[in-house]
């Protein structure tokens, strides 16, 4: 990785609340301290597996280069 997590800007740190299979992607719901609502990040199964993500995992979501906002 070009940057370590500790020095990157635009990181949202939180804890995985849930993982939901969304077909081609996995929806990772993250609880962030100080935010009223959780955020959901979409990633692929390989990333979930390689990072060993599960409910309770501490994570940092990078919102620095691409951030997609969709209506619910």
């Amino acid at each position: 990785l070009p940057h370590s997590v500790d020095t990157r800007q635009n990181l949202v740190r939180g804890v995985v609340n849930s993982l939901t299979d969304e077909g081609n992607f996995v929806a990772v719901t993250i609880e962030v301290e100080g935010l009223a609502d959780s955020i959901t990040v979409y990633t692929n199964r390989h990333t979930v597996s390689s990072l060993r993500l599960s409910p309770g995992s501490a994570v940092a979501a990078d919102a620095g280069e691409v951030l997609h906002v969709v209506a619910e």
Side-chain angles (χ1 to χ4, degrees):
L1 295 173
H3 303 281
S4 72
V5 172
D6 294 331
T7 61
R8 292 289 308 260
Q9 294 181 2
N10 301 317
L11 289 179
V12 178
R13 297 176 194 276
V15 176
V16 174
N17 184 44
S18 66
L19 301 161
T20 306
D21 187 341
E22 297 279 343
N24 291 329
F25 298 96
V26 176
V28 182
T29 303
I30 302 170
E31 297 295 327
V32 179
E33 187 175 336
L35 292 182
D37 295 317
S38 59
I39 64 169
T40 301
V41 176
Y42 292 86
T43 190
N44 58 49
R45 286 182 195 83
H46 174 75
T47 299
V48 170
S49 176
S50 66
L51 294 176
R52 298 180 182 163
L53 296 180
S54 63
S57 296
V59 294
D62 185 348
E65 294 185 24
V66 178
L67 181 63
H68 299 279
V69 177
V70 296
E72 293 190 341

